[in-house]
Amino acid sequence: QVQLVESGGGSVQAGGSLRLSCAASGYTYRTSCMGWFRQVPGKEREGVASLYGDGWSTYADSVKGRFTISRDNIKNILYLQMNSLKPEDTAMYYCAAAPPSRSWRCGYLWDADFDYWGQGTQVTVSS
């Protein structure tokens, strides 16, 4: 059974930083696709970043140069380092994992490709 548990959200002022963590269990972690998504109430869920294997990462244009996705294969943790945060980054952030059969689509950042989801962690950025 796959379990994803996010942590690290919180409130921060614009320009600040946060690091989100996603502890994964029961998942073929190292060679498949994992990603971060975010959602604001009343809006569609948005892909933020994805990581295929150890090195192929994709970012939404809105976060390029500010966010970095990475993974610790020993601890089975996915990270999202968020720097230079803006008020428009305020959202619930979700960790997600794709099955190996759809991991090759990692770069598309389509939420329909991800079968496993965490419960979310709230990020609030004030101006």
Side-chain angles (χ1 to χ4, degrees):
Q1 182 178 355
V2 176
Q3 275 197 314
L4 304 174
V5 180
E6 304 98 331
S7 61
S11 296
V12 65
Q13 288 193 324
S17 298
L18 284 173
R19 187 176 79 160
L20 305 184
S21 299
C22 172
S25 61
Y27 177 68
T28 307
Y29 178 77
R30 182 173 299 187
T31 60
S32 294
C33 173
M34 295 190 73
W36 289 96
F37 291 77
R38 65 187 180 187
Q39 190 168 24
V40 175
K43 293 190 175 181
E44 289 189 358
R45 188 160 51 195
E46 173 191 20
V48 176
S50 65
L51 184 62
Y52 183 35
D54 288 331
W56 188 359
S57 58
T58 300
Y59 296 93
D61 288 343
S62 58
V63 307
K64 278 181 183 175
R66 300 188 298 121
F67 291 12
T68 303
I69 189 171
S70 63
R71 72 207 313 174
D72 183 324
N73 289 325
I74 295 176
K75 295 181 180 178
N76 279 359
I77 298 176
L78 182 74
Y79 298 104
L80 185 68
Q81 178 66 43
M82 306 186 294
N83 298 328
S84 302
L85 282 161
K86 304 175 181 180
E88 51 264 43
D89 294 319
T90 295
M92 183 71 78
Y93 282 72
Y94 298 91
C95 170
S101 61
R102 289 198 293 275
S103 287
W104 66 272
R105 298 162 61 90
C106 201
Y108 293 105
L109 266 177
W110 289 345
D111 59 358
D113 287 331
F114 292 78
D115 284 354
Y116 311 107
W117 294 84
Q119 82 288 352
T121 186
Q122 177 68 37
V123 171
T124 302
V125 184
S126 58
S127 58

